[in-house]
Amino acid sequence: QRKLKKVVQKKNRFLELLISQYLHHLCQKALKKKVKEIVNTVFVGDSRDVLKDYPDKCVDLCITSPPYWGLRDYGVDNQIGLELERDEYIGELVSVFDEVHRILKDDGTMFLNLGDSYSGSTGRSGGISEINSKARQLKTGSYKDLRPAKVAGVPPQSLMLIPHRVAIALQDSIGWIIRAELIWSKTNPMPESVDNRPSKSHETIFFLSKIPTGYYYNQEVLSEPAKNQNSGYSWLQRKLHGEPSRHGLDGAAASGAGNFRTGERRNMRTVITLPTNSYKGAHFATFPPKLISPFIKGCSREGGIVLDPFMGSGTVAEVSKKLGRLYTGVELNEEYHKLINERTSQMEMFI
C-alpha cells in the first residue's frame, strides 16, 4: 500500500507539473498576442483608460511629455491639463504613471518631461475661461486664462514647481525611483516680456526606474565627447615636463592628480543643450529627435518597445522606428493622428 501510495503521489505531482506548464504556456501565448496588438500602434483615447488594457511588464522604455497644467485645450472633455486645482492635475498624472509602472518591465526606465509655470501668470478671476476658438488652438497651440487666477498654497507670481511636485508624488505613490534630474537647456527659448526675473530657457526631464540597480542602461552609448581630455600622465610626470603648479584640491583634480584618465569620452552630463524643434503641421513645440535619440539607444535594446502615453505629434514613434525599436502609445485628439501618420508612414497603426 505504501508503494502504491508513493506511485500515485508521484503521478499526481507529474500531472500537476504538466498542468502548470500548460497553463504557463497558455498565459505566455495570450501575452504575446496582447503585445502583438499594441506594437507599432497608437490608440485613440484617454491614456488613463487605454493603458489599463496593456499587459503587465511588456514595455522596455517610456518617454513622454504630458500636457502642462492650464496651457492648452485639446477639445476633449475631462482632459488632463484643465483641472481646476493643481493637486488634482498632479493626481491625474500619478494615475497614468501608476499604470506605466505596471506596464514597464522590471529593468525598464522612463524619461518624463514636464514644464513649469507661475501662479496667476495666465489666470483670470472666476476660474477657467471658456474655450475661444478651435481653429486658433490648432494654429497657435495655446489659450489664455486656462488656469485659475489663484492657486491654493502658492503666492501670486511664484514658480509652482510642478515638475518636482509630480516627481515627489510618483515617488510616494508606487515607489518610482528618481535616478536623475536632467535639464534641457534651449538655445532658442520662447521670448518672455519680463523685467523682474530671468527669462526661462530650460525644461526639466526626470529619469526614473522601477529598481535601484540592474535596469537597462548602456553607459557607453549614452556617453558624450570629453571636453578636456586628460592624457593619463601623473602630475609628477607633467611637472617634470614643465606644467605649472596648481594648488588646492580643485587644482589637483584639474591637473589629473593620481594619474586620473578621462579619455575621449565621458559619462553623460545632466545638462543637455539643444534648440527646440518644430514639425510642419504641429501646433506646438515638439521633442527634438536629437534630445530623445540617446535615451532610446541607451535605455532600450533593438526590437524593444518604447511607450509614449501622450503621443502628440509622434516624435517618439518616429525616432523609435528609425532606431529599430517598436513603438506604442496613446493620443487623445484624433486630429493629431494625421501628423503621426505623416511621420511614421503607417496608416494601419491607428485604432
Side-chain angles (χ1 to χ4, degrees):
Q1 287 182 346
R2 287 182 180 179
K3 287 184 179 180
L4 181 61
K5 188 176 181 181
K6 285 182 179 179
V7 170
V8 171
Q9 287 176 341
K10 194 172 183 179
K11 285 185 176 180
N12 285 342
R13 284 197 297 270
F14 180 69
L15 285 173
E16 287 174 1
L17 180 62
L18 281 179
I19 293 170
S20 175
Q21 289 178 340
Y22 179 68
L23 291 175
H24 177 73
H25 171 73
L26 289 179
C27 288
Q28 290 298 110
K29 191 175 180 180
L31 177 61
K32 286 181 180 178
K33 184 180 178 182
K34 273 194 171 185
V35 171
K36 191 175 180 180
E37 291 171 354
I38 67 169
V39 296
N40 291 346
T41 302
V42 175
F43 295 91
V44 180
D46 192 315
S47 56
R48 289 168 290 188
D49 301 321
V50 177
L51 293 181
K52 292 177 181 177
D53 293 328
Y54 275 58
D56 295 348
K57 302 180 181 181
C58 64
V59 165
D60 298 271
L61 174 65
C62 176
I63 301 176
T64 193
S65 180
Y68 300 170
W69 186 42
L71 179 62
R72 57 176 59 92
D73 176 65
Y74 293 90
V76 180
D77 291 338
N78 301 317
Q79 63 192 274
I80 291 177
L82 292 188
E83 293 81 4
L84 287 170
E85 300 294 337
R86 178 202 61 199
D87 290 347
E88 183 185 354
Y89 165 73
I90 293 172
E92 294 299 334
L93 287 183
V94 168
S95 69
V96 172
F97 293 116
D98 280 353
E99 285 298 316
V100 172
H101 192 279
R102 176 186 63 80
I103 293 165
L104 203 62
K105 293 178 182 176
D106 287 339
D107 66 348
T109 52
M110 176 169 71
F111 289 89
L112 173 61
N113 167 233
L114 277 170
D116 210 349
S117 53
Y118 288 83
S119 173
S121 58
T122 61
R124 182 177 72 175
S125 58
I128 293 177
S129 68
E130 295 180 359
I131 303 307
N132 300 313
S133 164
K134 192 172 184 180
R136 180 178 180 274
Q137 161 66 16
L138 292 174
K139 184 177 180 181
T140 66
S142 64
Y143 287 107
K144 294 181 179 179
D145 308 333
L146 289 182
R147 285 193 300 271
K150 295 181 180 179
V151 180
V154 182
Q157 300 305 311
S158 174
L159 197 62
M160 289 189 283
L161 300 176
I162 285 178
H164 297 83
R165 293 177 191 272
V166 170
I168 292 169
L170 293 178
Q171 203 174 49
D172 292 343
S173 69
I174 205 167
W176 278 103
I177 299 170
I178 302 168
R179 295 296 293 127
E181 177 188 359
L182 307 178
I183 299 299
W184 171 20
S185 176
K186 304 177 182 180
T187 57
N188 58 341
M190 185 74 71
E192 289 185 301
S193 56
V194 293
D195 57 10
N196 59 358
R197 63 169 175 82
S199 295
K200 188 173 182 181
S201 61
H202 77 278
E203 288 188 24
T204 301
I205 302 173
F206 287 108
F207 175 51
L208 305 97
S209 67
K210 294 176 67 173
I211 54 178
T213 59
Y215 48 84
Y216 185 75
Y217 185 89
N218 192 324
Q219 184 186 24
E220 184 178 353
V221 170
L222 286 164
S223 65
E224 60 188 36
K227 292 185 178 180
N228 299 306
Q229 296 179 28
N230 186 337
S231 65
Y233 292 112
S234 69
W235 164 234
L236 179 59
Q237 289 172 310
R238 295 201 305 276
K239 184 178 180 181
L240 291 174
H241 283 85
E243 185 169 322
S245 176
R246 303 182 189 183
H247 302 285
L249 292 176
D250 291 339
S255 302
N259 200 26
F260 180 75
R261 188 182 186 95
T262 60
E264 296 181 356
R265 299 188 69 81
R266 66 183 187 183
N267 194 32
M268 178 184 179
R269 298 307 196 248
T270 55
V271 177
I272 304 169
T273 304
L274 281 174
T276 58
N277 192 64
S278 60
Y279 180 76
K280 185 179 179 181
H283 64 274
F284 48 86
T286 61
F287 275 139
K290 286 185 178 180
L291 177 66
I292 64 171
S293 291
F295 303 160
I296 294 172
K297 288 190 286 186
C299 293
S300 70
R301 302 169 180 86
E302 286 194 29
I305 303 174
V306 182
L307 165 71
D308 186 351
F310 302 97
M311 188 61 80
S313 65
T315 303
V316 171
E318 179 190 39
V319 177
S320 297
K321 182 185 174 186
K322 285 181 178 178
L323 296 176
R325 274 68 172 175
L326 305 171
Y327 60 84
T328 185
V330 185
E331 175 47 46
L332 186 65
N333 194 313
E334 293 184 23
E335 295 185 29
Y336 299 167
H337 286 165
K338 184 179 178 181
L339 298 176
I340 308 174
N341 278 332
E342 291 173 354
R343 304 185 77 170
T344 58
S345 301
Q346 290 191 20
M347 295 303 294
E348 72 272 16
M349 65 181 288
F350 303 104
I351 291 181

